[in-house]
Amino acid sequence: MIKPIVHDIFFLGQPSDSATKEDIPVAKDLLDTLAAHTEECVGMAANMIGVRKNIIVVNIGIMNIAMINPVIVKKSVPFETEEGCLSLNGVRKTTRYRNIEVEYEDMNFKKHSGKFSGWTAQIIQHECDHLAGIII
C-alpha cells in the first residue's frame, strides 16, 4: 500500500527499533511507496512512512530491494556531497563513503552481507542515517 511521506522533523529525528517478522507488511508498504515515487526518489526508510522500524528499501539499478535491520560494517574512501530527501526540503552537505559493506536480512529474514559502491552505497548510507534518527 502506498503510504504518505512523513515530514515531521521531531519524528524523523528519533532512532528506529529492530524489525521483526511481524514488520514484513511495513517493508511491502515501503516498496510500494518507493515505486510510486520513482521519479523523485531512489530509497526510503520506514520512518519516512511513519514507522520507526529498521527497514530500508533501495533502488539497486535493476530493481528495488528491502533491507531489514541493515548495519554498515565497513566503509572506505570518504567524499563530500550534497543530498536531498523526499521528507525534507532542499539539499544538505554530508560525508559519504564510496565503498561499504552491509549486513542485513531479506524479506524472509535470511541474513546477507553485501558490498556496494558508488551511487547505491550512497543511497544505503542515507537511509541508514534515517534509521539512526540522523537528519542531514
Side-chain angles (χ1 to χ4, degrees), residues 110-134:
K110 180 180 176 191
K111 293 186 183 230
H112 294 271
S113 179
K115 293 182 180 181
F116 300 91
S117 61
W119 181 236
T120 304
Q122 186 175 345
I123 299 164
I124 293 168
Q125 291 169 80
H126 179 100
E127 303 314 332
C128 284
D129 277 357
H130 271 291
L131 299 181
I134 298 169

Side-chain angles (χ1 to χ4, degrees), residues 39-56:
E39 294 297 316
E40 67 265 345
C41 190
V42 291
M44 298 185 114
N47 64 354
M48 293 175 67
I49 62 167
V51 181
R52 288 183 33 245
K53 290 292 184 165
N54 287 336
I55 304 170
I56 65 173

Side-chain angles (χ1 to χ4, degrees), residues 16-133:
S16 295
D17 298 321
S18 293
T20 66
K21 290 182 181 179
E22 289 75 35
D23 298 312
I24 293 297
V26 174
K28 291 178 181 177
D29 289 346
L30 265 177
L31 287 165
D32 290 345
T33 305
L34 179 59
H37 291 278
T38 298
E39 294 297 316
E40 67 265 345
C41 190
V42 291
M44 298 185 114
N47 64 354
M48 293 175 67
I49 62 167
V51 181
R52 288 183 33 245
K53 290 292 184 165
N54 287 336
I55 304 170
I56 65 173
V57 293
V58 178
N59 179 281
I60 59 168
I62 57 171
M63 63 192 283
N64 296 331
I65 65 165
M67 294 181 167
I68 299 172
N69 298 317
V71 176
I72 298 171
V73 294
K74 290 184 184 176
K75 51 190 175 183
S76 65
V77 190
F79 68 99
E80 298 298 317
T81 190
E82 290 185 345
E83 295 176 350
C85 181
L86 199 57
S87 285
L88 306 169
N89 293 326
V91 295
R92 290 156 182 81
K93 292 183 181 187
T94 188
T95 300
R96 294 291 181 219
Y97 296 84
R98 295 203 191 283
N99 307 303
I100 63 171
E101 185 173 338
V102 183
E103 293 177 352
Y104 65 96
E105 296 160 319
D106 64 20
M107 299 271 281
N108 295 313
F109 276 77
K110 180 180 176 191
K111 293 186 183 230
H112 294 271
S113 179
K115 293 182 180 181
F116 300 91
S117 61
W119 181 236
T120 304
Q122 186 175 345
I123 299 164
I124 293 168
Q125 291 169 80
H126 179 100
E127 303 314 332
C128 284
D129 277 357
H130 271 291
L131 299 181

